[in-house]
Amino acid sequence: MSKISNSIHRLLRSAAPLVALAVFCTLLVSGCGGKGRQLPAEEPPHLTTAQKDALRNIGQWELLTIDLEELIDSTRSHTLWPDEHIIRIYRGTARLGTDLTFARPDWIQEEAFTVTLTVPAIRLLNPEIIDKSRTTVFLQDGELNAEIREPMFHKAHRLMQRRLRNLDAYRRAEEIGRTKLTTALQAAGFKTVIVNYE
């Protein structure tokens, strides 16, 4: 396997399906002249339709993973019996990335040594975030029924989403994706790589 193929594989394998990536790497190498050859300096690189399709077939591309934890308490006051007080700890993992299968038909544009990519917007690949199996009860003084449990769950989910925004997680995921694509396509011979997000 050539140096180009090795570099792309190392950069993208942690976030992309390996089969799709292997196809893309193989096509990229063959399109750039194969092992032991380099493009002439005056000849700009070119991605074939098959190479573009192989890159799209990476599909869901996880770029950033963040573990989250929220402590939520609920208190209900009663006149005739003791108040109910419950504290639960909600844990979850946010997986942010893009899905290249939703890239528009003209998402890759080439002009000489410059390539411009328009990538689908960064989003939560697992919208639920919270892992119910990791939720624990820190304090429970009263009955934990659905009337209490559901509002607590939804509050934890809202706070986790807010925390992601406060951490600037979406922008960070964009930068990771931009860096990986830039490095991979520069290895293919492009001097300038422009990555825009929808």
Side-chain angles (χ1 to χ4, degrees), residues 70 72 90 130 151-160:
E70 294 291 342
I72 306 296
Y90 294 85
I130 295 174
M152 293 179 72
F153 177 87
H154 291 302
K155 181 179 181 180
H157 192 266
R158 288 195 304 272
L159 290 175
M160 287 183 180

Side-chain angles (χ1 to χ4, degrees), residues 77-98:
S77 300
H78 302 283
T79 303
L80 301 178
W81 58 86
D83 293 347
E84 295 177 287
H85 188 202
I86 296 170
I87 300 176
R88 304 187 88 193
I89 300 175
Y90 294 85
R91 299 179 178 87
T93 301
R95 296 180 172 85
L96 285 82
T98 184

Side-chain angles (χ1 to χ4, degrees), residues 87-128:
I87 300 176
R88 304 187 88 193
I89 300 175
Y90 294 85
R91 299 179 178 87
T93 301
R95 296 180 172 85
L96 285 82
T98 184
D99 192 335
L100 297 179
T101 59
F102 291 105
R104 61 195 191 190
D106 60 344
W107 73 296
I108 299 177
Q109 295 291 322
E110 301 170 66
E111 185 176 352
F113 288 92
T114 298
V115 60
T116 301
L117 298 91
T118 302
V119 180
I122 297 296
R123 63 183 179 87
L124 269 174
L125 300 179
N126 60 325
E128 291 300 322

